[in-house]
Amino acid sequence: MAAITLESVGKTYAGGVTAVHAIDLAIEDGEFLVLVGPSGCGKSTLLRMIAGLETISSGAVKIGNRVVNQVEPAERDIAMVFQNYALYPHMSVRENLAYGLKNRGVPKDEIARRVAEAAKILEIGGFLDRKPRALSGGQRQRVAMGRAIVREPAAFLFDEPLSNLDAKLRVQMRGEIKQLQARLGTTSIYVTHDQLEAMTLAHRLVVLNGGRIEQVGTPLEVYRKPASTFVAAFIGSPAMNLLQAEVSGGRVRLGGASLPAPGAAEGKVTLGLRPEDLQRTRPGAEGALLMNVAYVEELGAQRLVHGTVGGQSLVCAQPVESDLGDTLTLTADPAAVHLFDAASGKRLG
Amino acid sequence: MVENRRFLNILAHLVLILGVAFVAFPVYIALIASTHGQNDFLSGVIPLLPGHDTIRNYSAMMTQGLASSGAPPLWLMLGNSLIMALSISIGKIAISIISAFAIVYFRFPGRMIAFWLIFVTLMLPVEVRILPTYKVVAELGMLNTYAGLTVPLIASATATFLFRQVFLTIPEELMEAARIDGAGPMKFFWDILLPLSRTNIAALFVILFIYGWNQYLWPLLVTTGTDHYTIVLGIKRMADIADQQPEWNFIMSTVVLAMVPPVLVVIFMQRLFVKGLIETEK
């Protein structure tokens, strides 16, 4: 177990393309950190630099108190779970688990003990002698995690490990990874493009965009106080509504409607409203948003109403039983009103 | 075909049987000829039914050879051919797989040049470069040696290209996983690349074994003494005599024996690589 520290770590490829810009990050011992962002945001590159599979162009990566920039992946005391599992196809599950230990000269009885223990934790004892091709996707995923566990490393690195599974299995494995990490208490870094996975797994999540950190925080912090319009649109499903608006006289105004925004500076802003924070109010209420309903998506637990407010599109979540007309009168709590700088997209207040 | 008509069935079988007969008939003739005595051929009619001299023909060829046409006993020539075919196939596979490994998995200056130089050797078969090659072998004093027979034929990395393509299909994550598992480059080669390439190695071995076994021109040039004669060379020597009837019974028994090792290699390796095809998944 160890803390991992990144000190202005950057990656510039030979062609001059910078994938990661000087990132500073401290990952605590035993923490489950999730790197999340759209494809091409540098999250995988960052993980691979920590693993030692990618050279570090600038800055330093520390595992424990040791700078590992020049250390071979095998000597970094980390284990990695790959998206396509990367199991050795010609070896049985048992050999797959034992391979890394054998290469390190771990005694035979110790290898057998650790393999048995990992097999017990992951419930893969029944097919230790099978080849990977004889396993289902979920079982392969477990074996890939088993290969990481037997090493008893300082940190686990996960590179989108659930992307190749079907939706149902993904939810199940997500739960298992969370429990496993809590039980072993091993520092883990997990890369995903799925914001739901990030929200559910992370102690802290790091939202990356274009090779830079947009925000670091616990899932709730990031959800409740997104640092920028990028984070606001990326985290949360359905996505937050972002509308062009203007602040004057302590209220944020949008066409004829206005919502309370105490203390906000006057001028143009981007107004963020989560669909689930919009409530219906009585028709004719002062400052309420008048939404023209375009269409409705039934989700079972709730329904998503798509429409427009003053020409800008808006989505709001409504209870299933609600009786909808052509127009909805909506309002939101002052606490649910997010304001962002219209130009930079950074959070105001 | 979807239709199942009696006439079409008969026609299909007829075509197939004709095809098989067409291919197999010469082999049958050779087999039959090797069972007859010397005098059965003098009439000019090739016999179609087995004769009574099988054991005499084969034992004579194995132990004494055909002194009149300068052919040593068959076991010697079979041995020479086996040494040649095995050295060529194993040598070529070893060289190709190692050079493909270097080209695919290591970044070094001149990597692409090295690859293209190897690739160019594909375009130069032995016959094209035979004179300079002979000169080099002669100067090195390798005439009438096994090294002279095999080394020039090994020294073209024909299969490098094939192994390169095989390695390119192996996911990069496998190499990365091995690196994290503490396997250095050579360990990765032995523990992962080699087992994953074994079906390709088997297929290539079959092709190269037959290529080496059937070599004629090169052995003809570099061997002058009968000690290093190969079987194909021997057959040619026996058939190529002046002033007398070729002894077809002996020649054909040599031909039949010469066919056995390649056939065995094909049968044995076929099983291995079919098995490999079913088992391997990359």
Coordinates of all heavy atoms in Angstrom, one line a residue, chain A residues 48 51-53 72-74 78-80 82 84 86-91 99-100 103-104 133 140 147 151, chain B residues 171-184 187-188 191-193 195-196 278-282:
Chain A
R48 N -1.2 5.2 -17.9 CA -0.1 4.4 -18.4 C 1.3 5.0 -18.0 O 2.3 4.2 -17.9 CB -0.2 4.3 -19.9 CG -1.4 3.4 -20.4 CD -1.7 3.7 -21.8 NE -0.5 3.4 -22.7 CZ -0.2 2.2 -23.0 NH1 -0.9 1.1 -22.7 NH2 0.9 2.0 -23.8
A51 N 1.8 3.6 -14.7 CA 2.2 2.1 -14.8 C 3.6 1.9 -15.3 O 4.2 0.9 -15.1 CB 1.2 1.4 -15.7
G52 N 4.1 3.0 -16.0 CA 5.4 2.8 -16.6 C 5.4 2.3 -18.0 O 6.4 1.9 -18.6
L53 N 4.2 2.2 -18.6 CA 4.1 1.7 -20.0 C 4.3 2.9 -21.0 O 4.4 2.7 -22.2 CB 2.7 1.1 -20.2 CG 2.4 -0.1 -19.3 CD1 1.0 -0.6 -19.5 CD2 3.4 -1.2 -19.7
E72 N 11.3 0.4 -14.2 CA 10.5 -0.6 -15.1 C 9.1 -0.9 -14.4 O 9.0 -0.9 -13.2 CB 11.3 -1.9 -15.2 CG 12.3 -1.9 -16.3 CD 11.6 -1.9 -17.7 OE1 10.8 -2.8 -17.9 OE2 11.9 -1.0 -18.5
P73 N 8.1 -1.1 -15.3 CA 6.8 -1.4 -14.8 C 6.8 -2.5 -13.7 O 6.1 -2.4 -12.7 CB 6.0 -1.8 -16.0 CG 6.7 -1.3 -17.2 CD 8.1 -1.1 -16.8
A74 N 7.5 -3.5 -13.9 CA 7.5 -4.6 -13.0 C 8.1 -4.3 -11.6 O 7.7 -4.9 -10.6 CB 8.3 -5.8 -13.6
I78 N 3.1 -2.2 -8.8 CA 1.7 -1.9 -9.2 C 1.1 -3.1 -10.0 O 1.9 -3.9 -10.5 CB 1.6 -0.7 -10.1 CG1 2.6 -0.7 -11.2 CG2 1.7 0.6 -9.3 CD1 2.2 -1.0 -12.5
A79 N -0.2 -3.2 -10.1 CA -0.8 -4.3 -10.9 C -1.8 -3.6 -11.8 O -2.5 -2.6 -11.3 CB -1.4 -5.3 -10.1
M80 N -2.0 -4.0 -13.0 CA -2.9 -3.3 -13.9 C -3.9 -4.3 -14.5 O -3.6 -5.4 -14.8 CB -2.1 -2.7 -15.0 CG -2.9 -1.8 -15.9 SD -1.8 -0.5 -16.7 CE -2.9 0.1 -18.0
F82 N -6.5 -4.6 -17.6 CA -6.6 -4.0 -18.9 C -8.1 -4.1 -19.4 O -8.8 -5.0 -19.0 CB -5.7 -4.7 -20.0 CG -4.3 -4.4 -19.7 CD1 -3.5 -5.3 -18.9 CD2 -3.6 -3.4 -20.3 CE1 -2.2 -5.1 -18.6 CE2 -2.3 -3.1 -20.1 CZ -1.6 -4.0 -19.2
N84 N -9.1 -5.1 -22.4 CA -9.4 -6.4 -23.0 C -8.8 -7.6 -22.2 O -8.6 -8.7 -22.8 CB -8.9 -6.4 -24.5 CG -7.4 -6.3 -24.5 OD1 -6.7 -6.3 -23.5 ND2 -6.9 -6.2 -25.7
A86 N -6.2 -8.9 -21.5 CA -4.8 -9.3 -21.7 C -4.4 -10.5 -21.0 O -3.3 -10.6 -20.4 CB -3.9 -8.1 -21.4
L87 N -5.3 -11.5 -20.9 CA -4.9 -12.8 -20.3 C -4.1 -13.6 -21.4 O -4.3 -13.5 -22.6 CB -6.2 -13.6 -20.0 CG -7.1 -13.0 -19.0 CD1 -8.3 -13.9 -18.8 CD2 -6.4 -12.7 -17.7
Y88 N -3.1 -14.4 -20.9 CA -2.3 -15.1 -21.8 C -3.1 -16.3 -22.3 O -3.5 -17.2 -21.5 CB -1.0 -15.6 -21.1 CG -0.3 -14.5 -20.3 CD1 -0.1 -14.5 -19.0 CD2 0.1 -13.4 -21.0 CE1 0.6 -13.5 -18.3 CE2 0.8 -12.3 -20.3 CZ 1.0 -12.4 -19.0 OH 1.6 -11.4 -18.3
P89 N -3.4 -16.3 -23.6 CA -4.4 -17.3 -24.1 C -3.9 -18.7 -24.0 O -4.8 -19.6 -24.0 CB -4.5 -16.9 -25.6 CG -3.6 -15.8 -25.9 CD -2.8 -15.5 -24.7
H90 N -2.6 -19.0 -24.0 CA -2.1 -20.4 -24.0 C -1.9 -20.9 -22.6 O -1.5 -22.0 -22.4 CB -0.9 -20.5 -24.8 CG 0.2 -19.6 -24.3 ND1 0.1 -18.2 -24.3 CD2 1.4 -19.8 -23.7 CE1 1.2 -17.6 -23.8 NE2 2.0 -18.6 -23.4
M91 N -2.2 -20.1 -21.6 CA -2.0 -20.5 -20.2 C -3.3 -20.7 -19.5 O -4.3 -20.0 -19.8 CB -1.2 -19.5 -19.4 CG 0.2 -19.2 -19.9 SD 1.0 -18.1 -18.8 CE 2.4 -17.6 -19.7
Y99 N 1.9 -16.4 -13.2 CA 3.0 -16.0 -14.0 C 3.9 -14.9 -13.4 O 5.1 -15.0 -13.4 CB 2.5 -15.6 -15.4 CG 3.6 -15.4 -16.4 CD1 4.4 -16.4 -16.8 CD2 3.7 -14.1 -17.0 CE1 5.4 -16.2 -17.7 CE2 4.8 -13.9 -17.9 CZ 5.6 -14.9 -18.3 OH 6.6 -14.7 -19.2
G100 N 3.2 -13.9 -13.0 CA 3.9 -12.7 -12.4 C 4.7 -13.1 -11.2 O 5.8 -12.6 -11.0
N103 N 7.8 -15.2 -12.1 CA 8.9 -14.3 -12.7 C 9.6 -13.6 -11.5 O 10.8 -13.2 -11.7 CB 8.3 -13.3 -13.6 CG 7.9 -13.9 -14.9 OD1 8.3 -15.1 -15.2 ND2 7.1 -13.2 -15.7
R104 N 9.0 -13.4 -10.4 CA 9.6 -12.7 -9.3 C 10.3 -13.6 -8.4 O 10.8 -13.2 -7.4 CB 8.5 -11.9 -8.5 CG 8.2 -10.6 -9.2 CD 7.1 -9.9 -8.4 NE 6.9 -8.6 -9.0 CZ 6.4 -8.5 -10.2 NH1 5.9 -9.6 -10.8 NH2 6.2 -7.3 -10.8
R133 N -10.0 -18.9 -23.2 CA -11.0 -18.9 -24.2 C -12.3 -19.7 -23.8 O -13.3 -19.5 -24.4 CB -10.5 -19.5 -25.5 CG -10.5 -21.0 -25.5 CD -9.7 -21.6 -26.6 NE -9.0 -22.8 -26.1 CZ -9.6 -23.9 -25.9 NH1 -10.9 -24.1 -26.2 NH2 -8.9 -24.9 -25.4
R140 N -13.5 -13.9 -17.3 CA -12.2 -13.4 -17.7 C -11.9 -12.1 -17.0 O -10.7 -11.9 -16.5 CB -12.2 -13.0 -19.2 CG -12.2 -14.2 -20.1 CD -12.2 -13.8 -21.6 NE -12.8 -14.9 -22.3 CZ -12.8 -14.9 -23.6 NH1 -12.2 -14.0 -24.3 NH2 -13.4 -15.9 -24.3
R147 N -5.3 -11.7 -11.3 CA -3.9 -11.6 -11.6 C -3.3 -10.4 -10.9 O -2.1 -10.4 -10.5 CB -3.7 -11.4 -13.1 CG -2.3 -11.7 -13.6 CD -2.3 -11.9 -15.1 NE -2.8 -10.7 -15.8 CZ -2.8 -10.6 -17.1 NH1 -2.3 -11.6 -17.8 NH2 -3.3 -9.6 -17.7
R151 N -0.6 -10.4 -6.8 CA 0.7 -9.7 -6.7 C 0.8 -9.0 -5.4 O 1.9 -8.6 -5.0 CB 0.8 -8.8 -7.8 CG 0.8 -9.4 -9.2 CD 2.3 -9.5 -9.6 NE 2.9 -8.3 -9.3 CZ 2.8 -7.2 -10.2 NH1 2.2 -7.3 -11.3 NH2 3.4 -6.1 -9.8
Chain B
P171 N -2.2 -8.8 -29.5 CA -2.5 -7.5 -28.9 C -1.3 -6.9 -28.1 O -0.6 -7.7 -27.4 CB -3.7 -7.8 -28.0 CG -4.1 -9.1 -28.2 CD -3.1 -9.8 -29.1
E172 N -1.1 -5.6 -28.2 CA -0.1 -5.0 -27.4 C -0.2 -5.1 -25.9 O 0.8 -5.2 -25.2 CB 0.0 -3.5 -27.8 CG 1.3 -2.9 -27.7 CD 1.3 -1.5 -28.4 OE1 0.6 -1.2 -29.3 OE2 2.1 -0.6 -27.9
E173 N -1.5 -5.2 -25.5 CA -1.7 -5.3 -24.0 C -1.0 -6.6 -23.5 O -0.7 -6.6 -22.3 CB -3.2 -5.4 -23.7 CG -3.9 -4.0 -23.8 CD -4.4 -3.7 -25.2 OE1 -4.0 -4.4 -26.1 OE2 -5.1 -2.7 -25.3
L174 N -0.9 -7.6 -24.3 CA -0.3 -8.8 -23.8 C 1.1 -8.6 -23.5 O 1.6 -9.1 -22.5 CB -0.4 -9.9 -24.9 CG -0.9 -11.3 -24.5 CD1 -2.1 -11.2 -23.7 CD2 -1.2 -12.1 -25.8
M175 N 1.8 -7.8 -24.3 CA 3.2 -7.4 -24.0 C 3.3 -6.6 -22.8 O 4.2 -6.7 -21.9 CB 3.7 -6.7 -25.2 CG 5.2 -6.5 -25.2 SD 5.7 -4.8 -25.0 CE 5.1 -4.0 -26.5
E176 N 2.3 -5.6 -22.7 CA 2.3 -4.7 -21.5 C 2.0 -5.5 -20.2 O 2.7 -5.3 -19.2 CB 1.3 -3.6 -21.7 CG 1.7 -2.7 -22.8 CD 0.7 -1.7 -23.2 OE1 -0.5 -1.8 -22.8 OE2 1.1 -0.7 -23.9
A177 N 1.1 -6.4 -20.3 CA 0.8 -7.3 -19.1 C 2.0 -8.1 -18.7 O 2.3 -8.2 -17.5 CB -0.4 -8.2 -19.4
A178 N 2.7 -8.6 -19.7 CA 3.9 -9.3 -19.4 C 5.0 -8.5 -18.8 O 5.7 -8.9 -17.9 CB 4.5 -10.0 -20.7
R179 N 5.1 -7.2 -19.3 CA 6.1 -6.3 -18.7 C 5.7 -6.1 -17.2 O 6.6 -6.0 -16.4 CB 6.1 -5.0 -19.4 CG 7.0 -4.9 -20.6 CD 6.9 -3.6 -21.3 NE 7.7 -2.6 -20.5 CZ 7.7 -1.3 -20.9 NH1 7.0 -0.8 -21.8 NH2 8.4 -0.4 -20.2
I180 N 4.5 -5.8 -16.9 CA 4.1 -5.6 -15.5 C 4.3 -6.9 -14.7 O 4.6 -6.8 -13.5 CB 2.6 -5.1 -15.5 CG1 2.5 -3.7 -16.1 CG2 2.0 -5.1 -14.1 CD1 1.2 -3.1 -16.1
D181 N 4.1 -8.0 -15.4 CA 4.3 -9.3 -14.7 C 5.8 -9.6 -14.5 O 6.2 -10.7 -14.1 CB 3.6 -10.4 -15.4 CG 2.2 -10.6 -14.9 OD1 1.9 -10.1 -13.8 OD2 1.4 -11.3 -15.6
G182 N 6.7 -8.7 -14.9 CA 8.1 -8.9 -14.7 C 8.8 -9.8 -15.7 O 9.8 -10.3 -15.4
A183 N 8.2 -9.9 -16.9 CA 8.9 -10.7 -17.9 C 9.7 -9.8 -18.8 O 9.2 -8.8 -19.4 CB 7.8 -11.4 -18.8
G184 N 11.0 -10.0 -18.9 CA 11.9 -9.2 -19.8 C 11.6 -9.6 -21.2 O 10.8 -10.5 -21.5
K187 N 12.1 -13.4 -22.0 CA 11.1 -14.2 -21.3 C 9.8 -14.1 -22.0 O 9.1 -15.1 -22.2 CB 11.0 -13.7 -19.8 CG 10.7 -14.8 -18.9 CD 11.1 -14.5 -17.5 CE 10.6 -15.6 -16.6 NZ 10.4 -16.9 -17.1
F188 N 9.4 -12.8 -22.4 CA 8.2 -12.6 -23.2 C 8.2 -13.4 -24.5 O 7.3 -14.1 -24.8 CB 8.1 -11.1 -23.5 CG 7.0 -10.8 -24.4 CD1 5.7 -11.0 -24.1 CD2 7.3 -10.3 -25.7 CE1 4.6 -10.7 -25.0 CE2 6.3 -10.0 -26.6 CZ 4.9 -10.2 -26.2
D191 N 8.0 -17.3 -23.3 CA 6.8 -17.7 -22.6 C 5.5 -17.4 -23.3 O 4.5 -18.0 -23.1 CB 6.8 -17.1 -21.2 CG 7.8 -17.6 -20.3 OD1 8.5 -18.6 -20.7 OD2 8.0 -17.1 -19.2
I192 N 5.6 -16.4 -24.2 CA 4.3 -15.9 -24.8 C 4.3 -15.9 -26.3 O 3.5 -16.6 -26.9 CB 3.9 -14.5 -24.2 CG1 3.6 -14.7 -22.7 CG2 2.8 -13.9 -25.0 CD1 3.7 -13.5 -21.9
L193 N 5.3 -15.3 -26.9 CA 5.3 -15.2 -28.4 C 5.4 -16.6 -29.0 O 4.7 -17.0 -29.9 CB 6.4 -14.3 -28.9 CG 6.2 -12.9 -29.0 CD1 7.3 -12.2 -29.7 CD2 4.9 -12.6 -29.7
P195 N 4.9 -19.8 -27.8 CA 3.7 -20.6 -27.7 C 2.5 -20.1 -28.6 O 1.8 -20.9 -29.2 CB 3.3 -20.6 -26.3 CG 4.4 -20.1 -25.5 CD 5.3 -19.3 -26.5
L196 N 2.4 -18.8 -28.7 CA 1.3 -18.3 -29.6 C 1.5 -18.4 -31.0 O 0.6 -18.4 -31.8 CB 1.0 -16.8 -29.2 CG 0.4 -16.5 -27.9 CD1 0.2 -15.0 -27.7 CD2 -0.9 -17.2 -27.7
I278 N -7.6 -25.0 -33.4 CA -8.8 -25.0 -32.6 C -8.6 -24.4 -31.3 O -9.4 -23.8 -30.7 CB -9.3 -26.5 -32.5 CG1 -9.6 -27.1 -33.8 CG2 -10.5 -26.6 -31.6 CD1 -9.7 -28.6 -33.8
E279 N -7.3 -24.6 -30.8 CA -7.1 -24.2 -29.4 C -6.7 -22.7 -29.2 O -7.0 -22.1 -28.2 CB -5.9 -25.0 -28.8 CG -6.4 -26.3 -28.2 CD -5.3 -27.0 -27.4 OE1 -4.2 -26.6 -27.4 OE2 -5.7 -28.1 -26.9
T280 N -6.0 -22.2 -30.2 CA -5.4 -20.9 -29.9 C -6.4 -19.8 -30.2 O -7.2 -19.8 -31.1 CB -4.1 -20.6 -30.8 OG1 -3.4 -21.8 -30.8 CG2 -3.3 -19.5 -30.3
E281 N -6.3 -18.8 -29.3 CA -7.1 -17.6 -29.5 C -6.3 -16.4 -29.1 O -5.7 -16.4 -28.0 CB -8.4 -17.6 -28.7 CG -9.3 -16.4 -28.9 CD -10.4 -16.4 -27.9 OE1 -11.3 -17.2 -28.0 OE2 -10.3 -15.6 -27.0
K282 N -6.2 -15.4 -30.0 CA -5.3 -14.3 -29.6 C -6.1 -13.1 -29.1 O -7.2 -13.0 -29.5 CB -4.5 -13.9 -30.8 CG -3.3 -14.8 -31.0 CD -2.6 -14.6 -32.3 CE -1.7 -15.7 -32.6 NZ -1.6 -15.9 -34.1

